[in-house]
Amino acid sequence: MTGAAAGTAARPLLGSAVAALALAALSALVASGSDLVSAFDARFRAGADRAFGASAGSWLAPDGPADAVGSALLGAGLLTTLAVLLYRRRPGAALWVLAGLTVQFAAETALETLVGRPMPLPADGSAPDPGHSFPSGHAASATLILMALLAVLRTGTRVWWSCLGLGAALVAAVGVSRVLADAHHAADVAGGILLGLVVGFAVAWRVGVRSPHLSGKETR
């Protein structure tokens, strides 16, 4: 691998480091009970309620349609990504995605305990679920899956841009569904996306470092 190619291959590691710093900063703000975080959560939830229905709407509450839709979208995204990787004869990449999800879950569990943010109060006035809400594991997993898929596609092609657009829409839909379901605050979703970027960039580096497109060859 030439110096230029090596530098290109190492860029995901820089992205992972930057995302880690941003995640650390957000985690500190959430743990301290920052008013900025509370205001962000309130504005996002108000916008989501206006867009998808009032707080008593049928989409809301744990185990409601919003919760089911978010989980279904995440599952579909994972299965699609694994299918694409296997179709492209990249079983190793598929294994790295699964390994990344395992690391992401471990980091998510550690952050939940470290930050200790309570679950959101349900809009229907019922008691919140036990446990902690920061960060959103669904948002983290969706982001990681997208990063891994993009790593095996040739950058800048129509397929790559299409996957980026559809994947970003999937991440956004999953995140909004978690807020609507009273499973997470908006800042938890942001934290999940950052966690997904931290692990996703690392997985993308490991998956993409041996991809033919990094040496100028076309992928299938």
Side-chain angles (χ1 to χ4, degrees):
M1 182 180 292
T2 65
T8 300
R11 286 178 186 172
L13 295 181
L14 177 59
S16 183
V18 171
L21 290 174
L23 177 60
L26 179 58
S27 299
L29 286 173
V30 172
S32 67
S34 169
D35 291 338
L36 291 174
V37 172
S38 299
F40 172 73
D41 290 339
R43 291 195 193 98
F44 189 97
R45 183 55 194 261
D49 284 345
R50 285 195 298 269
F52 296 96
S55 59
S58 60
W59 272 79
L60 310 179
D63 300 323
D67 192 24
V69 167
S71 297
L73 287 173
L74 178 58
L78 175 58
L79 292 177
T80 299
T81 297
L82 293 178
V84 170
L85 294 178
L86 293 176
Y87 173 75
R88 287 175 169 265
R89 299 175 185 174
R90 299 295 304 276
L95 290 176
W96 275 107
V97 171
L98 297 178
L101 289 172
T102 302
V103 171
Q104 172 237 301
F105 178 77
E108 172 195 335
T109 302
L111 278 174
E112 285 177 353
T113 303
L114 182 64
V115 175
R117 190 180 202 190
M119 298 291 288
L121 292 174
D124 62 6
S126 60
D129 288 341
H132 305 297
S133 71
F134 182 91
S136 167
H138 280 62
S141 296
T143 304
L144 189 161
I145 291 165
L146 173 60
M147 296 296 296
L149 178 59
L150 294 177
V152 299
L153 300 176
R154 187 173 178 83
T155 305
T157 62
R158 185 176 300 175
V159 171
W160 190 91
W161 283 109
S162 297
C163 288
L164 175 61
L166 292 173
L170 171 67
V171 172
V174 169
V176 171
S177 75
R178 303 309 287 163
V179 174
L180 288 175
D182 292 319
H184 291 285
H185 302 279
D188 305 336
V189 172
I193 291 173
L194 288 173
L195 175 58
L197 289 174
V198 172
V199 183
F201 269 122
V203 171
W205 171 77
R206 189 62 186 83
V207 168
V209 72
R210 293 183 179 178
S211 292
H213 71 269
L214 289 179
S215 60
K217 298 177 183 177
E218 187 69 45
T219 58
R220 202 159 49 92

